[in-house]
Amino acid sequence: MAQTVHAAVLVKPKTLVAQEFARPTIGPDDALLRIEACGICGSDYEQYEGAQPVHEDYTPYPVIPGHEPLGVIEEIGARARQRWSVREGDRVAVRSGYGCGRCEACARWEPRACPKRGGTYGYTDVGKPPHLWGGYAEHMYLSPYSVLKKMDPRIPAGVAVMFNPLAAGLSWAGSVPGTGPGDRVVILGAGQRGLCCVIAARAAGARQIVITGLSRDAQKLALARELGADVTVNAETEDVVARVREVTGGGAEVVVDTTPYAPQSLNHAVAIAVRRGRIVVAGLKGQRPTRELQADDVIYKELSIRGVLSMPVDVTFRAIELIESGRYPFEKMHTYSLPLEQAEDAIRTLAGEVPGVNPIHLAIVPGAPRVSLRR
């Protein structure tokens, strides 16, 4: 058994460094996870770029990134085994937040509501023992107050690790806006979470689903139709607001903005929403302000605008069960599995910085073969 663990450490913006750490000693209440895959999302790119705000949810550098871990329990204490109902060899999906273990929120296993904010995997200072607090590593330490769930080991790791973006979709396009039969739903952005919003809206019984994307997103928009979208709109060649109003017959009851680094998309959402519409804002804008927002429209239409950052535990568990059901072709959404040493390539690829490559979903998989991304 190796006594050291390899990890990719973000020591400062745009600087990932390979480092080794001592394998932690596991006590009766905690565990060690062997990472099978760690999903990558837009916030990884913002963390890498240094574009995230100074906020209690984010910690200073250096950190081991990676807040979407999937892995196998390699070592676990006796009390942890009983508390989580898992044992060595079980595959588990891990929630990004871990709690303090002493409050009412932690008692109901909702660490995101923990007032003491125990921490977040991928955003915990690497100097905090036992150091392995992120998924860009061979192993990750599991705090006693983590939330996890067993997952079918037969599902390919790159597909299984999509539980996080799917949970986001189920929350943002389903439970948060209260989507139901009769609702028209417009999803701005055709990335991994936008596509998962299509699944969620269809599952909620929406009567019409429209999704927008860019010219380079033709393959993603085609998949969106396969997943249940009725109409796709090219935001580069069409007037988004005019086109959406045309195809929906006047607008939508629910608008979900998943577009990253596109602050003006909120203006589109306000213009698209019908009276008493619900707008969900999920795509981080990299601290870029939205300009010329028509606030009077928000008032006259009596719109509800909700920002979202995470999702409830029960929705995460529902996403895991949905992936296990095999009802949707999630394998078509997973584009590449890249080894730990290509973590920087993975981040830049998902951000669209590699010419000719436009992935939907990427994952860091320790030990995976190197991937040639240049075309």
Side-chain angles (χ1 to χ4, degrees), residues 244-306:
V244 169
R245 284 177 171 171
E246 176 190 356
V247 299
T248 57
E253 286 74 22
V254 176
V255 184
V256 186
D257 177 15
T258 73
T259 58
Y261 288 89
Q264 298 311 104
S265 59
L266 182 56
N267 291 329
H268 290 164
V270 169
I272 289 167
V274 297
R275 188 170 182 271
R276 295 189 177 178
R278 292 95 73 194
I279 297 172
V280 178
V281 185
L284 291 166
K285 309 307 180 187
Q287 301 300 293
R288 300 174 184 178
T290 296
R291 301 185 186 280
E292 300 177 354
L293 177 67
Q294 295 297 320
D296 285 355
D297 284 350
V298 177
I299 297 168
Y300 283 123
K301 291 183 179 181
E302 299 182 286
L303 302 179
S304 298
I305 301 178
R306 167 79 178 270

Side-chain angles (χ1 to χ4, degrees), residues 50-283:
Q52 290 179 330
V54 178
H55 187 273
E56 63 182 354
D57 285 322
Y58 306 110
T59 55
Y61 304 96
V63 296
I64 299 173
H67 59 278
E68 300 183 7
L70 172 87
V72 173
I73 297 291
E74 188 163 285
E75 188 176 349
I76 188 169
R79 287 197 293 262
R81 188 182 301 115
Q82 183 176 15
R83 181 174 61 250
W84 289 324
S85 298
V86 298
R87 60 184 180 181
E88 289 87 347
D90 284 344
R91 170 190 269 183
V92 295
V94 183
R95 287 267 301 181
S96 58
Y98 57 92
C100 71
R102 297 180 296 277
C103 67
E104 191 271 336
C106 287
R108 66 174 190 269
W109 296 105
E110 275 287 5
R112 70 175 190 153
C114 172
K116 295 184 181 297
R117 303 306 297 263
T120 303
Y121 292 116
Y123 292 96
T124 298
D125 192 325
V126 78
K128 177 182 176 180
H131 315 297
L132 298 173
W133 295 99
Y136 288 19
E138 294 173 319
H139 292 81
M140 191 179 86
Y141 171 73
L142 292 180
S143 158
Y145 308 110
S146 303
V147 178
L148 49 87
K149 181 177 173 60
K150 283 196 288 189
M151 197 166 187
D152 189 339
R154 295 170 296 182
I155 302 171
V159 174
V161 80
M162 294 181 68
F163 68 89
N164 190 286
L166 179 58
L170 293 174
S171 180
W172 303 347
S175 56
V176 167
T179 303
D183 283 335
R184 294 162 292 183
V185 178
V186 174
I187 299 157
L188 304 176
Q192 55 182 290
R193 281 163 173 75
L195 292 173
C196 287
C197 283
V198 171
I199 293 172
R202 182 55 65 207
R207 67 180 162 109
Q208 186 181 34
I209 301 170
V210 180
I211 185 169
T212 71
L214 305 176
S215 296
R216 68 181 186 183
D217 294 331
Q219 184 178 358
K220 296 178 181 179
L221 294 174
L223 180 56
R225 284 186 174 274
E226 185 176 343
L227 294 173
D230 300 293
V231 180
T232 60
V233 176
N234 186 325
E236 289 182 316
T237 62
E238 300 177 271
D239 181 316
V240 171
V241 174
R243 178 60 176 155
V244 169
R245 284 177 171 171
E246 176 190 356
V247 299
T248 57
E253 286 74 22
V254 176
V255 184
V256 186
D257 177 15
T258 73
T259 58
Y261 288 89
Q264 298 311 104
S265 59
L266 182 56
N267 291 329
H268 290 164
V270 169
I272 289 167
V274 297
R275 188 170 182 271
R276 295 189 177 178
R278 292 95 73 194
I279 297 172
V280 178
V281 185

